[in-house]
Amino acid sequence: MEILQYVLAARPTGLPSPENFRIEKVKIPGLKEDEVLLKSWYLSVDPYMRGRMNDVKSYAASFEVDKPIRGGVVAKVIESKSSLFNPGEFVVGMLPWATYSIEKAENLRKIDVHKIPPSYYLGVLGMPGFTAYFGMTEIGKPQKGETVVVSGAGGAVGIVAGQIAKIHGARVIGIAGSDEKCMLLKGQFGYDEALNYKTSISLRKELANICPEGVDVYFDNVGGEITDAVVANLDFNARIALCGQISQYNNTRPTVGPSLLPMLLTRSVLLKGFIVSNYSDRFGEAIGHLTQWLDDGKIKYHETLIRGFDHLPDAFIGLFDGKNQGKMLVVAE
Ligand SMILES: NC(=O)c1ccc[n+]([C@@H]2O[C@H](COP(=O)([O-])OP(=O)(O)OC[C@H]3O[C@@H](n4cnc5c(N)ncnc54)[C@H](OP(=O)(O)O)[C@@H]3O)[C@@H](O)[C@H]2O)c1
């Protein structure tokens, strides 16, 4: 059987470009025992994949040049040589960027696509949702009446993180890269305030104006100058959930910024970096809470769906230009 797949053509320097990816037509073999043949449906593009394109030691193994890119995929079982799955069932797993793939059954999780939209397993009820849940509830720990700031607020993790803070009774301020995203944050996702960092003359001063008593929790998705502006406004005993640093992922050399650690020291701030997999034994708890909040209407979710398998590279590159509102996904057609 012939399929299409994307391989890493070359490691990027700086912002990835379409030349870093190559689409190939390849033949896949027949199934062996305990394997299943899958047809990709929703393919996830995520900022962490930029790190995997580099040849450096990190918490996740690097992609190999000339080998398929892999990421979160929701797929349909077409054929099965495993007692765990039947044709017609749906699964989620870390699969190649391919129209069809063969995978060991033990690496897949069966999903119910009748009660829950299948794409949610890659978003609010998947890795980004769990990240928002654990970062906010385990590190941020917002209390009633406290002020929470979320950067990258209009993305997959950010929209959920802010809504969880609202559920805990906090006042929530989002920072995002367009007026449209800021309107969505306030209109759809219950944020109290939203600031557009691309048009702001001084984010530090704007935050000082709307947070006169300081920021109690900062959920950081982006790093860089945005984080410098928030840190300058932290209150005593603030907590920083250090989730992501997307503004730095395409840097070719480390940036030099204000040295802010003395502020953390003198204000007794807790700063904790985390990787969602640190909490993998508690994903069931996160699914339980997030599903309940969705059912109760306390959490709303949003996706940017790009149709067409061949748009995978553009969708991924678009993350670094803010092309997505909520979770960015490619629908294979
Ligand atoms: N710690 C973990 O386990 C974990 C797990 C998942 C994700 N993360 C991290 O969390 C962050 C958000 O992930 P996500 O999946 O929710 O991504 P996402 O928000 O869906 O997509 C990335 C967003 O980042 C913003 N952005 C891009 N370049 C930027 C820059 N230079 N400065 C400021 N903002 C920029 C863009 O929105 P604007 O329009 O606002 O610029 C873009 O839409 C990422 O840093 C990711 O690596 C961490």
Side-chain angles (χ1 to χ4, degrees):
M1 172 181 186
E2 277 201 337
I3 64 147
L4 292 175
Q5 66 179 20
Y6 269 106
V7 299
L8 179 65
R11 298 197 187 281
T13 306
L15 181 69
S17 69
E19 289 70 45
N20 299 122
F21 305 87
R22 188 173 67 245
I23 196 163
E24 291 181 338
K25 202 179 263 185
V26 290
K27 277 199 171 137
I28 52 171
L31 288 186
K32 295 195 205 111
E33 268 323 292
D34 298 320
E35 286 184 340
V36 288
L37 172 66
L38 301 167
K39 184 176 196 293
S40 300
W41 187 4
Y42 290 96
L43 297 103
S44 181
V45 291
D46 292 274
Y48 78 87
M49 299 171 93
R50 174 64 186 86
R52 296 194 68 186
M53 296 174 88
N54 296 335
D55 189 15
V56 290
K57 204 172 164 198
S58 182
Y59 64 92
S62 297
F63 296 133
E64 287 179 55
V65 174
D66 295 333
K67 295 272 171 62
I69 311 260
R70 293 180 84 89
V73 177
V74 163
K76 184 176 182 179
V77 177
I78 302 296
E79 205 184 318
S80 174
K81 281 209 169 181
S82 158
S83 56
L84 298 177
F85 298 104
N86 295 314
E89 291 178 329
F90 291 88
V91 297
V92 64
M94 291 300 284
L95 301 177
W97 277 10
T99 47
Y100 291 82
S101 59
I102 289 176
E103 193 62 39
K104 278 202 153 116
E106 65 193 27
N107 298 333
L108 303 165
R109 184 161 62 89
K110 200 178 291 186
I111 56 172
D112 178 352
V113 300
H114 301 295
K115 287 200 201 116
I116 290 168
S119 55
Y120 277 29
Y121 292 98
L122 299 171
V124 61
L125 297 180
M127 186 274 284
F130 303 162
T131 304
Y133 176 83
F134 290 110
M136 195 54 87
T137 61
E138 288 296 313
I139 303 171
K141 295 188 174 162
Q143 307 296 309
K144 198 166 190 292
E146 284 192 328
T147 297
V148 173
V149 172
V150 179
S151 60
V157 175
I159 58 172
V160 181
Q163 292 180 90
I164 293 174
K166 285 299 300 177
I167 289 168
H168 287 81
R171 173 172 175 255
V172 184
I173 294 151
I175 302 175
S178 72
D179 288 345
E180 205 183 335
K181 284 188 193 182
C182 289
M183 269 159 54
L184 262 183
L185 289 172
K186 287 171 58 170
Q188 286 253 354
F189 303 117
Y191 273 69
D192 298 284
E193 303 281 352
L195 302 176
N196 178 348
Y197 72 91
K198 287 190 179 159
T199 54
S200 171
I201 292 165
S202 167
L203 204 51
R204 187 177 62 77
K205 284 187 189 156
E206 276 194 73
L207 280 167
N209 283 339
I210 58 175
C211 311
E213 290 170 23
V215 174
D216 300 292
V217 175
Y218 176 40
F219 193 105
D220 186 12
N221 280 316
V222 305
E225 289 176 8
I226 294 173
T227 292
D228 295 343
V230 182
V231 168
N233 282 286
L234 290 176
D235 198 0
F236 290 92
N237 299 308
R239 286 84 67 196
I240 303 177
L242 187 57
C243 173
Q245 297 281 288
I246 194 168
S247 73
Q248 311 296 300
Y249 293 173
N250 293 313
N251 288 352
T252 48
R253 60 183 66 175
T255 49
V256 179
S259 301
L260 297 171
L261 290 180
M263 282 190 207
L264 305 192
L265 168 72
T266 55
R267 294 179 202 178
S268 306
V269 172
L270 171 79
L271 165 72
K272 185 163 166 47
F274 73 103
I275 299 297
V276 64
S277 54
N278 298 351
Y279 299 95
S280 53
D281 57 339
R282 291 175 54 196
F283 284 175
E285 168 195 327
I287 291 187
H289 282 288
L290 290 163
T291 308
Q292 191 62 53
W293 289 330
L294 281 168
D295 284 351
D296 295 345
K298 290 184 177 164
I299 282 191
K300 297 198 170 62
Y301 202 55
H302 195 85
E303 297 170 322
T304 299
L305 299 177
I306 309 281
R307 293 188 184 274
F309 178 78
D310 53 337
H311 288 301
L312 271 163
D314 313 339
F316 173 69
I317 295 165
L319 292 175
F320 299 96
D321 198 20
K323 294 260 161 58
N324 58 309
Q325 292 175 353
K327 177 72 193 133
M328 179 84 108
L329 293 168
V330 170
V331 191
E333 290 185 322

